[in-house]
mmCIF file of all heavy atoms in Angstrom:
data_model
loop_
_atom_site.group_PDB
_atom_site.id
_atom_site.type_symbol
_atom_site.label_atom_id
_atom_site.label_comp_id
_atom_site.label_asym_id
_atom_site.label_seq_id
_atom_site.Cartn_x
_atom_site.Cartn_y
_atom_site.Cartn_z
ATOM 1 N N MET U 714 123.223 -89.105 141.039
ATOM 2 C CA MET U 714 123.692 -88.566 142.324
ATOM 3 C C MET U 714 123.919 -89.701 143.325
ATOM 4 O O MET U 714 124.860 -89.683 144.101
ATOM 5 C CB MET U 714 122.663 -87.576 142.885
ATOM 6 C CG MET U 714 122.626 -86.264 142.154
ATOM 7 S SD MET U 714 124.203 -85.380 142.266
ATOM 8 C CE MET U 714 124.469 -84.944 140.578
ATOM 9 N N HIS U 740 153.640 -106.208 146.375
ATOM 10 C CA HIS U 740 154.765 -105.370 145.940
ATOM 11 C C HIS U 740 155.631 -104.834 147.079
ATOM 12 O O HIS U 740 156.616 -104.141 146.826
ATOM 13 C CB HIS U 740 154.246 -104.178 145.129
ATOM 14 C CG HIS U 740 153.565 -104.585 143.858
ATOM 15 N ND1 HIS U 740 152.229 -104.917 143.812
ATOM 16 C CD2 HIS U 740 154.019 -104.719 142.599
ATOM 17 C CE1 HIS U 740 151.886 -105.224 142.569
ATOM 18 N NE2 HIS U 740 152.958 -105.133 141.810
ATOM 19 N N ARG U 742 155.082 -102.430 148.922
ATOM 20 C CA ARG U 742 154.981 -100.965 148.965
ATOM 21 C C ARG U 742 153.572 -100.581 148.508
ATOM 22 O O ARG U 742 152.906 -101.352 147.820
ATOM 23 C CB ARG U 742 156.018 -100.301 148.040
ATOM 24 C CG ARG U 742 155.854 -100.697 146.587
ATOM 25 C CD ARG U 742 156.722 -99.873 145.644
ATOM 26 N NE ARG U 742 156.566 -100.324 144.265
ATOM 27 C CZ ARG U 742 155.581 -99.979 143.452
ATOM 28 N NH1 ARG U 742 154.615 -99.152 143.883
ATOM 29 N NH2 ARG U 742 155.488 -100.437 142.216
ATOM 30 N N SER U 764 131.534 -98.653 137.859
ATOM 31 C CA SER U 764 131.878 -98.153 136.528
ATOM 32 C C SER U 764 130.749 -98.436 135.535
ATOM 33 O O SER U 764 130.366 -97.573 134.750
ATOM 34 C CB SER U 764 133.157 -98.823 136.020
ATOM 35 O OG SER U 764 134.233 -98.529 136.887
ATOM 36 N N SER U 769 126.516 -96.323 132.199
ATOM 37 C CA SER U 769 125.160 -96.457 131.674
ATOM 38 C C SER U 769 124.373 -95.182 131.904
ATOM 39 O O SER U 769 123.636 -94.709 131.042
ATOM 40 C CB SER U 769 124.404 -97.582 132.386
ATOM 41 O OG SER U 769 124.761 -98.803 131.874
ATOM 42 N N VAL U 782 114.512 -83.447 122.013
ATOM 43 C CA VAL U 782 115.160 -82.575 121.034
ATOM 44 C C VAL U 782 114.748 -82.946 119.614
ATOM 45 O O VAL U 782 114.444 -82.079 118.793
ATOM 46 C CB VAL U 782 116.695 -82.620 121.191
ATOM 47 C CG1 VAL U 782 117.383 -81.817 120.098
ATOM 48 C CG2 VAL U 782 117.109 -82.110 122.565
ATOM 49 N N PRO U 787 112.572 -79.309 114.062
ATOM 50 C CA PRO U 787 112.258 -78.355 112.985
ATOM 51 C C PRO U 787 111.807 -76.994 113.521
ATOM 52 O O PRO U 787 112.294 -75.947 113.091
ATOM 53 C CB PRO U 787 111.113 -79.048 112.228
ATOM 54 C CG PRO U 787 111.094 -80.458 112.684
ATOM 55 C CD PRO U 787 111.731 -80.506 114.020
ATOM 56 N N LEU U 789 112.300 -75.803 116.520
ATOM 57 C CA LEU U 789 113.394 -75.202 117.292
ATOM 58 C C LEU U 789 114.376 -74.480 116.371
ATOM 59 O O LEU U 789 114.758 -73.330 116.612
ATOM 60 C CB LEU U 789 114.113 -76.311 118.068
ATOM 61 C CG LEU U 789 115.402 -75.925 118.785
ATOM 62 C CD1 LEU U 789 115.118 -74.981 119.946
ATOM 63 C CD2 LEU U 789 116.137 -77.160 119.295
ATOM 64 N N LEU U 815 139.107 -81.778 119.086
ATOM 65 C CA LEU U 815 137.726 -81.747 119.561
ATOM 66 C C LEU U 815 136.829 -82.646 118.720
ATOM 67 O O LEU U 815 135.911 -83.291 119.228
ATOM 68 C CB LEU U 815 137.213 -80.299 119.523
ATOM 69 C CG LEU U 815 135.896 -80.017 120.230
ATOM 70 C CD1 LEU U 815 135.974 -80.385 121.702
ATOM 71 C CD2 LEU U 815 135.507 -78.551 120.072
ATOM 72 N N HIS U 828 129.494 -79.877 117.719
ATOM 73 C CA HIS U 828 129.508 -79.158 116.451
ATOM 74 C C HIS U 828 128.670 -79.746 115.323
ATOM 75 O O HIS U 828 128.467 -79.092 114.307
ATOM 76 C CB HIS U 828 130.953 -79.047 115.959
ATOM 77 C CG HIS U 828 131.589 -80.386 115.719
ATOM 78 N ND1 HIS U 828 132.142 -81.117 116.743
ATOM 79 C CD2 HIS U 828 131.711 -81.130 114.598
ATOM 80 C CE1 HIS U 828 132.587 -82.258 116.251
ATOM 81 N NE2 HIS U 828 132.346 -82.278 114.946
ATOM 82 N N VAL U 836 120.475 -76.773 115.372
ATOM 83 C CA VAL U 836 120.989 -76.472 116.717
ATOM 84 C C VAL U 836 120.716 -77.614 117.696
ATOM 85 O O VAL U 836 120.836 -77.438 118.904
ATOM 86 C CB VAL U 836 120.377 -75.167 117.285
ATOM 87 C CG1 VAL U 836 120.726 -73.981 116.408
ATOM 88 C CG2 VAL U 836 118.870 -75.279 117.480
ATOM 89 N N LEU U 846 122.854 -80.990 130.377
ATOM 90 C CA LEU U 846 123.663 -80.410 131.455
ATOM 91 C C LEU U 846 122.837 -80.278 132.728
ATOM 92 O O LEU U 846 123.302 -80.590 133.817
ATOM 93 C CB LEU U 846 124.187 -79.030 131.026
ATOM 94 C CG LEU U 846 125.099 -78.326 132.027
ATOM 95 C CD1 LEU U 846 126.417 -79.070 132.185
ATOM 96 C CD2 LEU U 846 125.359 -76.885 131.611
ATOM 97 N N ALA U 851 121.763 -82.267 138.065
ATOM 98 C CA ALA U 851 120.603 -82.460 138.942
ATOM 99 C C ALA U 851 120.118 -81.123 139.500
ATOM 100 O O ALA U 851 119.685 -81.042 140.651
ATOM 101 C CB ALA U 851 120.944 -83.436 140.073
ATOM 102 N N PRO U 878 135.819 -54.567 135.668
ATOM 103 C CA PRO U 878 136.010 -54.931 134.263
ATOM 104 C C PRO U 878 134.963 -54.291 133.347
ATOM 105 O O PRO U 878 133.763 -54.401 133.608
ATOM 106 C CB PRO U 878 135.861 -56.454 134.264
ATOM 107 C CG PRO U 878 135.123 -56.778 135.521
ATOM 108 C CD PRO U 878 135.468 -55.729 136.508
ATOM 109 N N PRO U 900 126.779 -55.359 135.371
ATOM 110 C CA PRO U 900 125.804 -54.935 134.347
ATOM 111 C C PRO U 900 126.355 -53.897 133.368
ATOM 112 O O PRO U 900 125.851 -53.798 132.238
ATOM 113 C CB PRO U 900 124.641 -54.358 135.169
ATOM 114 C CG PRO U 900 125.052 -54.358 136.585
ATOM 115 C CD PRO U 900 126.320 -55.117 136.751
ATOM 116 N N ALA U 903 130.723 -54.832 128.852
ATOM 117 C CA ALA U 903 130.365 -55.423 127.558
ATOM 118 C C ALA U 903 130.858 -56.862 127.594
ATOM 119 O O ALA U 903 132.037 -57.113 127.884
ATOM 120 C CB ALA U 903 131.028 -54.654 126.432
ATOM 121 N N LEU U 914 126.677 -71.759 119.187
ATOM 122 C CA LEU U 914 126.665 -70.289 119.125
ATOM 123 C C LEU U 914 125.289 -69.765 118.716
ATOM 124 O O LEU U 914 124.790 -68.793 119.299
ATOM 125 C CB LEU U 914 127.739 -69.805 118.151
ATOM 126 C CG LEU U 914 129.160 -69.969 118.682
ATOM 127 C CD1 LEU U 914 130.161 -69.943 117.536
ATOM 128 C CD2 LEU U 914 129.492 -68.881 119.710
ATOM 129 N N ASP U 934 138.289 -69.598 117.080
ATOM 130 C CA ASP U 934 139.102 -70.578 117.781
ATOM 131 C C ASP U 934 139.873 -69.820 118.863
ATOM 132 O O ASP U 934 140.602 -68.877 118.542
ATOM 133 C CB ASP U 934 140.070 -71.247 116.789
ATOM 134 C CG ASP U 934 140.819 -72.398 117.429
ATOM 135 O OD1 ASP U 934 140.971 -72.393 118.670
ATOM 136 O OD2 ASP U 934 141.268 -73.290 116.690
ATOM 137 N N PHE U 940 140.404 -60.835 118.011
ATOM 138 C CA PHE U 940 140.286 -59.630 118.836
ATOM 139 C C PHE U 940 141.635 -58.914 118.887
ATOM 140 O O PHE U 940 142.692 -59.545 118.819
ATOM 141 C CB PHE U 940 139.858 -59.987 120.266
ATOM 142 C CG PHE U 940 138.487 -60.589 120.361
ATOM 143 C CD1 PHE U 940 138.303 -61.839 120.935
ATOM 144 C CD2 PHE U 940 137.370 -59.913 119.870
ATOM 145 C CE1 PHE U 940 137.034 -62.410 121.031
ATOM 146 C CE2 PHE U 940 136.093 -60.474 119.958
ATOM 147 C CZ PHE U 940 135.936 -61.720 120.536
ATOM 148 N N SER U 950 137.019 -68.641 131.629
ATOM 149 C CA SER U 950 136.471 -69.833 130.985
ATOM 150 C C SER U 950 135.961 -70.761 132.067
ATOM 151 O O SER U 950 136.394 -70.684 133.225
ATOM 152 C CB SER U 950 137.519 -70.544 130.121
ATOM 153 O OG SER U 950 138.431 -71.250 130.948
ATOM 154 N N GLU U 968 146.988 -66.582 123.992
ATOM 155 C CA GLU U 968 145.964 -65.658 123.487
ATOM 156 C C GLU U 968 145.350 -64.836 124.623
ATOM 157 O O GLU U 968 145.055 -63.655 124.449
ATOM 158 C CB GLU U 968 144.864 -66.434 122.742
ATOM 159 C CG GLU U 968 145.206 -66.755 121.310
ATOM 160 C CD GLU U 968 145.277 -65.485 120.454
ATOM 161 O OE1 GLU U 968 146.378 -64.877 120.397
ATOM 162 O OE2 GLU U 968 144.251 -65.108 119.874
ATOM 163 N N THR U 984 138.906 -78.417 136.886
ATOM 164 C CA THR U 984 139.058 -79.491 137.876
ATOM 165 C C THR U 984 140.305 -79.237 138.729
ATOM 166 O O THR U 984 141.171 -78.454 138.341
ATOM 167 C CB THR U 984 139.264 -80.836 137.163
ATOM 168 O OG1 THR U 984 140.508 -80.751 136.461
ATOM 169 C CG2 THR U 984 138.154 -81.141 136.184
ATOM 170 N N ALA U 1021 152.110 -73.074 132.505
ATOM 171 C CA ALA U 1021 151.432 -72.618 131.285
ATOM 172 C C ALA U 1021 151.305 -71.100 131.299
ATOM 173 O O ALA U 1021 151.526 -70.432 130.280
ATOM 174 C CB ALA U 1021 150.058 -73.268 131.161
ATOM 175 N N ALA U 1025 153.183 -68.388 128.843
ATOM 176 C CA ALA U 1025 152.345 -67.510 128.015
ATOM 177 C C ALA U 1025 152.689 -66.042 128.214
ATOM 178 O O ALA U 1025 152.139 -65.181 127.532
ATOM 179 C CB ALA U 1025 150.876 -67.746 128.344
ATOM 180 N N ALA U 1043 126.959 -72.362 148.943
ATOM 181 C CA ALA U 1043 127.452 -71.742 150.173
ATOM 182 C C ALA U 1043 126.458 -70.700 150.691
ATOM 183 O O ALA U 1043 126.323 -70.498 151.899
ATOM 184 C CB ALA U 1043 128.809 -71.095 149.919
ATOM 185 N N ALA U 1051 134.315 -66.248 152.383
ATOM 186 C CA ALA U 1051 135.363 -67.022 151.717
ATOM 187 C C ALA U 1051 136.058 -66.170 150.658
ATOM 188 O O ALA U 1051 137.285 -66.193 150.536
ATOM 189 C CB ALA U 1051 134.770 -68.268 151.083
ATOM 190 N N TRP U 1071 135.061 -75.011 143.863
ATOM 191 C CA TRP U 1071 135.548 -74.840 142.502
ATOM 192 C C TRP U 1071 136.982 -74.346 142.500
ATOM 193 O O TRP U 1071 137.399 -73.602 143.385
ATOM 194 C CB TRP U 1071 134.637 -73.879 141.728
ATOM 195 C CG TRP U 1071 133.242 -74.403 141.675
ATOM 196 C CD1 TRP U 1071 132.155 -73.862 142.277
ATOM 197 C CD2 TRP U 1071 132.790 -75.605 141.030
ATOM 198 N NE1 TRP U 1071 131.035 -74.644 142.036
ATOM 199 C CE2 TRP U 1071 131.404 -75.711 141.283
ATOM 200 C CE3 TRP U 1071 133.419 -76.594 140.272
ATOM 201 C CZ2 TRP U 1071 130.640 -76.778 140.801
ATOM 202 C CZ3 TRP U 1071 132.655 -77.640 139.795
ATOM 203 C CH2 TRP U 1071 131.292 -77.722 140.057
ATOM 204 N N TYR U 1074 142.130 -70.995 138.163
ATOM 205 C CA TYR U 1074 143.542 -70.814 137.805
ATOM 206 C C TYR U 1074 143.646 -69.582 136.936
ATOM 207 O O TYR U 1074 142.904 -69.461 135.956
ATOM 208 C CB TYR U 1074 144.053 -72.027 137.018
ATOM 209 C CG TYR U 1074 143.770 -73.343 137.706
ATOM 210 C CD1 TYR U 1074 142.653 -74.094 137.357
ATOM 211 C CD2 TYR U 1074 144.597 -73.820 138.716
ATOM 212 C CE1 TYR U 1074 142.370 -75.290 138.000
ATOM 213 C CE2 TYR U 1074 144.321 -75.015 139.359
ATOM 214 C CZ TYR U 1074 143.213 -75.753 139.006
ATOM 215 O OH TYR U 1074 142.932 -76.933 139.648
#
Side-chain angles (χ1 to χ4, degrees):
Chain U
M714 287 298 132
H740 296 86
R742 60 171 178 82
S764 299
S769 280
V782 175
L789 172 68
L815 192 59
H828 61 277
V836 299
L846 183 67
L914 288 160
D934 187 335
F940 295 123
S950 75
E968 277 293 88
T984 65
W1071 300 113
Y1074 308 96

